[in-house]
Amino acid sequence: MLDRAAPETARPRLSRPQRVARRIRLARADLIIAAAYLSLAMLVLSGQWLHTDRGYLIKSGQDQTMWEWFFAVTAHNVAHLENPLGSMLQNYPDGVNMMANTAMFGVGVPLTPVTLAFGPTVTFVLVLTLGLFGTAFAWYWLFSRELVASKFAAAVGGLFCGFAPAMISHANAHPNFVVLALLPLTALQLIHMARHTGGSRRVSFWTDGAGERSGGAEEGRTRLPAPRTRPKRSGGQIRQSFVLGLLVALQIALGEEPLLIFALSFGVFALVYHLHTPRTGLRALRAITPTVLLAALITVAFTEIPLWWQFFGPQSYRSIEHGPMNNDLKALFQFPSESLGGMFSHGQNVAINPTEENSYFGWPLWIVVTVAVVLMWRERAVRAAAAVIVAFTVLSLGATLMIGHHNTGITLPWKRLEDVPLLNSVLESRFTMAAIPAIALILALATQRALDYWKVSATDWRPLGLFGALAFALLPLTPTILPVVQRPPTPDFFADGTVRQYVSHGSVVVAPPPTPPDARALHWQAESGFEFPLAGGYFVGPTGTSKKGRYGPDDRPTASLLMKAQQSNTIPVVDDATRAQALADLRYWRADVVVLPPTDNSDTLRLTVDQLIGFPARYVDGVSLWDVRDLVGASAPA
C-alpha cells in the first residue's frame, strides 16, 4: 500500500481571512494534541501524583531517592546562596561533584520554589511528567512543521517519541533520559540554519540535487537549502548561532549522555541522507559550518565554568567503570513490562534492570517498520532513518551478542568503541534510544501516505490497512500506570530535629553508611532540612587516586565490616586492631554520632557497633545511637 507516492492535489489559494482561520484551526489542533500528551503523561505517573507525601516508584530502586536529593540540595544551595556545583552534604568529608552527577540544574534551579514549597518528591514527579509531555510535543512540533502536512500523522510520531517503551522505563527513575524536548528543538534549529544560510529558495527535503523527486508528496515536508548566491546578513547568523548555542548549553544542564547519543544519530542520519547527492550535502555543510562553530563558542561561554568543575573540579572523574551494559537480542522482540503487551506476554526478563528496558519494542512494531521501510525505500529520509535504527541498535547490543542471557561469543562493533573517551561512559544499552525518533519518523510518513490516499479516494482500502497495522504495532506498547508503594516513614530522630542535639561540626554516620543499594539516609537528611552532613552516600565519584568513576564512596574498612555483618546476620570477631581501625574511620568521617535506624538484622549491627566503639548504644526517638564526639575528639568545622 506504500509502494508508490499518493497522487498530489493542487493546493487552493486562500484569502487573508481564510489564512487567519486556518492558523486558528491549526493552533487549536496543537492545543488538543498537547492536552492529550499531558493527560497521558499524568496518567502514567498518576500513582505518584496521588501519593506525593510517601509514594515511591518501586521500580526505581534507590534512584528516586538520589534524584530527590539532587533536587533538594540544589534548592537548598540556591536558597542559601551556596555553590550548587558541589556539595559536602554526603560523602563527607570528601563531598560530591554535583556537575559530574547529572544533577539537572536546568530544571533543579528553576524549580527551586516548587522544591522549597512542596518538597523534592513533587519536583521529581513534575519533572518526569513534563518530560514525557514535552518530549512528545517537541517531536510533534518538528514533524508537523518540517516532515508531514497532517497534524494527525505528526501526532503519531510525537506520541511514539514521548511514550516509547524506553521513555516509560526511564520514567521510573531517570529524568535525564525523559526530559528530551530540547533535542528535537535543536534539530529544528539546525534545519532552519541550513535553510536560511544555504539558500533563499525553499527546496523540498524530498528532492535530490538534480531537482527530481525521490518519492512522496512535497507539501508540508522538511526542506533543506539550495545553493545561495548572496550570503545572509551576519546579524541573522549570529542570532541563529546564539539560539543553537543556548539550546545545547541548556541540554548540557539537563543531560550530556542523551545529547551525545542524539548528536551521533543526527550525524548518521544526515550522512546517509546525502549519500545520494553528496555535493548538495557538502554545500550545505560548508554553508552552516561558520554558524555552527560560532554556536559552539557560545555554548562554551555558557558552560565553561560548570564543565571545568565537572572534569577538573573536586571529586571529578574521567570515565565510569560500569562493566557490560548491553541489550540482549531477545529484548528487541519482547513487550516492555509496563505496557498492555507486557501484562499478558512479557517474556524472559533480559533487561539490565527495570529502568533500562531500552529496546523492548515488541515484534509487531518491527514487522510494521520493516514493511514500511521496504515499501517507502525511495524516500531518502526513510533510508536515513533505517540506517540510524540499524546502526544504533547494533551498537546497543554491546561487545558480544547475548541471546537470552547466553553469550554467543559473536563479536560486535561496540568491541572497537568501548574504550573511546566519552563513549566509554555511556551505557551501551541506551544507544537504542536513538532508534525512537527514527521509528517515529517512519510511522509519521506512513500515516501521511495513508491520509494522502484517502484525500484522493475515500473508498481506498489501503489507509484502513495502514491504520490497522499501526494499531497492531502500537497498542501492545500502550503504557500502563507505573507502580508505586508507600515508603517507610522517616525516623523521628531525623524528622523531629533531634539529630541537631548530637551534631556539632561533624557528620552523622549511619550504620552501615548509605550506599547505592540503600540510600534511604539521603531522604532522612533532606527531611531534616540538611542540618548535618552524611558519611557515605549514593553518587558517582573517583575511586582511590585514579580518575576512574564509581557508584558510591570508596569502601572504608569499618563500612565494609558493618555491611558484611548485616548481610550475614553474624557478629564478626572484633579485636584491638578492628577497634583501632573503627576509630580511625570515625576520625576520617569526622563523626559526631553513629546512628542505627530500624533496618534488617539491626540487633546484629547494634551489638557489632557496641564492640567497635566500646560502649552500648542509647535508644533515642526510634534509633539506636552512639555519641562519639568525646571519643573522636574535636571535629574540624564543615
Side-chain angles (χ1 to χ4, degrees):
M1 66 186 71
L2 304 175
D3 57 348
R4 57 186 174 84
E8 295 186 46
T9 56
R11 187 174 181 179
R13 185 180 298 275
L14 301 178
S15 64
R16 179 168 183 158
Q18 288 175 323
R19 290 197 299 270
V20 172
R22 183 174 181 272
R23 290 194 187 100
I24 295 175
R25 186 172 65 254
L26 294 178
R28 183 174 59 189
D30 292 341
L31 290 175
I32 292 173
I33 292 168
Y37 289 157
L38 182 59
S39 299
L40 181 56
M42 294 190 68
L43 177 63
V44 169
L45 290 158
S46 59
Q48 184 67 79
W49 274 115
L50 293 173
H51 302 283
T52 55
D53 51 347
R54 289 179 56 189
Y56 194 86
L57 291 163
I58 185 60
K59 290 191 173 183
S60 71
Q62 296 295 302
D63 285 353
Q64 179 172 341
T65 298
M66 179 191 69
W67 282 102
E68 288 178 357
W69 190 89
F70 285 156
F71 292 139
V73 80
T74 297
H76 174 82
N77 289 338
V78 171
H80 291 80
L81 301 180
E82 298 175 358
N83 176 20
L85 300 178
S87 176
M88 301 294 288
L89 287 169
Q90 63 168 309
N91 194 38
Y92 191 81
D94 298 320
V96 175
N97 189 320
M98 295 284 287
M99 187 62 198
N101 274 269
T102 62
M104 292 189 75
F105 295 122
V107 291
V109 172
L111 292 179
T112 289
V114 175
T115 305
L116 296 176
F118 302 104
T121 302
V122 172
T123 302
F124 177 72
V125 67
L126 178 63
V127 169
L128 290 175
T129 303
L130 295 180
L132 292 175
F133 154 72
T135 302
F137 190 76
W139 280 108
Y140 156 78
W141 188 269
L142 185 149
F143 291 154
S144 63
R145 270 63 184 176
E146 300 291 340
L147 182 70
V148 292
S150 165
K151 298 280 186 174
F152 177 75
V156 171
L159 179 68
F160 187 78
C161 286
F163 298 91
M167 295 290 292
I168 301 302
S169 175
H170 285 290
N172 281 289
H174 303 148
N176 59 324
F177 270 90
V178 174
V179 183
L180 304 179
L182 294 185
L183 300 182
L185 297 183
T186 302
L188 189 61
Q189 180 64 17
L190 287 169
I191 293 172
H192 289 172
M193 286 171 53
R195 178 184 301 149
H196 296 152
T197 306
S200 58
R201 67 182 180 91
R202 294 164 68 89
V203 179
S204 172
F205 190 75
W206 315 100
T207 305
D208 61 23
E212 298 178 357
R213 288 287 177 84
S214 58
E218 178 178 337
E219 179 185 342
R221 292 182 176 172
T222 311
R223 294 164 174 86
L224 289 181
R228 183 178 171 83
T229 57
R230 182 170 54 89
K232 194 78 171 176
R233 289 188 302 175
S234 60
Q237 293 182 8
I238 293 175
R239 183 168 56 252
Q240 293 168 356
S241 296
F242 180 83
V243 172
L244 179 61
L246 180 61
L247 285 172
V248 175
L250 288 174
Q251 181 58 48
I252 289 173
L254 293 175
E256 298 168 18
E257 194 173 347
L259 177 62
L260 175 62
I261 295 173
F262 165 78
L264 294 173
S265 60
F266 191 88
V268 170
F269 182 94
L271 176 64
V272 176
Y273 179 83
H274 284 291
L275 284 179
H276 184 65
T277 54
R279 292 184 179 178
T280 302
L282 289 175
R283 283 199 300 267
L285 180 63
R286 285 196 298 267
I288 69 171
T289 294
T291 311
V292 171
L293 290 177
L294 179 58
L297 293 176
I298 293 171
T299 299
V300 171
F302 279 126
T303 61
E304 60 178 332
I305 294 177
L307 289 179
W308 180 91
W309 192 281
Q310 175 180 347
F311 292 104
F312 303 102
Q315 291 298 103
S316 60
Y317 56 90
R318 294 289 179 267
S319 61
I320 304 175
E321 293 287 351
H322 53 67
M325 291 288 178
N326 55 292
N327 286 328
D328 193 293
L329 184 64
K330 289 184 69 173
L332 294 172
F333 306 99
Q334 296 183 167
F335 298 121
S337 56
E338 296 304 324
S339 68
L340 293 182
M343 292 175 61
F344 301 101
S345 177
H346 179 56
Q348 182 182 1
N349 182 13
V350 292
I352 299 170
N353 59 57
T355 67
E356 298 286 352
E357 293 185 352
N358 297 309
S359 60
Y360 279 67
F361 292 112
W363 57 268
L365 179 66
W366 288 119
I367 293 176
V368 171
V369 169
T370 301
V371 172
V373 168
V374 170
L375 297 180
M376 295 193 298
W377 186 251
R378 287 179 296 174
E379 301 272 13
R380 293 164 58 193
V382 171
R383 297 199 297 270
V388 170
I389 294 170
V390 172
F392 285 85
T393 299
V394 171
L395 284 180
S396 77
L397 296 176
T400 57
L401 182 63
M402 300 286 293
I403 302 178
H405 289 308
H406 171 67
N407 191 338
T408 65
I410 300 175
T411 302
L412 298 174
W414 179 249
K415 183 72 172 179
R416 297 179 176 272
L417 300 174
E418 59 184 350
D419 294 324
V420 175
L422 293 182
L423 291 182
N424 58 2
S425 294
V426 178
L427 270 64
E428 53 267 34
S429 169
R430 295 173 177 174
F431 279 116
T432 195
M433 293 187 71
I436 293 174
I439 292 173
L441 180 148
I442 293 169
L443 296 178
L445 287 177
T447 304
Q448 179 67 62
R449 182 71 64 83
L451 294 175
D452 288 343
Y453 283 129
W454 240 338
K455 288 180 182 179
V456 176
S457 174
T459 60
D460 197 324
W461 64 271
R462 287 173 290 190
L464 291 177
L466 184 278
F467 295 138
L470 284 178
F472 172 68
L474 299 182
L475 279 179
L477 302 180
T478 302
T480 54
I481 298 174
L482 299 182
V484 171
V485 297
Q486 294 291 303
R487 71 191 343 157
T490 299
D492 292 339
F493 179 76
F494 297 105
D496 295 344
T498 308
V499 63
R500 289 193 293 268
Q501 302 174 20
Y502 294 89
V503 177
S504 301
H505 298 290
S507 69
V508 171
V509 177
V510 177
T515 57
D518 185 1
R520 293 174 299 160
L522 300 183
H523 175 68
W524 304 336
Q525 183 192 47
E527 287 281 289
S528 70
F530 296 107
E531 296 285 348
F532 56 89
L534 278 169
Y538 185 4
F539 61 96
V540 181
T543 177
T545 58
S546 70
K547 283 293 185 178
K548 291 288 186 180
R550 60 166 287 171
Y551 294 94
D554 275 334
D555 296 327
R556 302 293 300 180
T558 302
S560 299
L561 179 73
L562 292 174
M563 285 187 285
K564 291 177 181 177
Q566 183 181 37
Q567 292 167 1
S568 65
N569 196 22
T570 302
I571 300 173
V573 176
V574 176
D575 54 19
D576 291 342
T578 309
R579 293 188 187 93
Q581 181 62 61
L583 181 59
D585 289 337
L586 291 174
R587 286 174 175 164
Y588 177 83
W589 290 319
R590 303 176 191 176
D592 280 344
V593 64
V594 179
V595 176
L596 175 61
T599 188
D600 296 336
N601 301 326
S602 58
D603 288 339
T604 298
L605 286 171
R606 178 175 52 81
L607 294 173
T608 301
V609 178
D610 283 347
Q611 294 186 46
L612 288 172
I613 294 180
F615 57 83
R618 295 172 53 197
Y619 190 79
V620 179
D621 281 355
V623 303
S624 298
L625 64 85
W626 296 260
D627 188 337
V628 296
R629 284 174 287 189
D630 292 337
L631 179 66
V632 173
S635 299

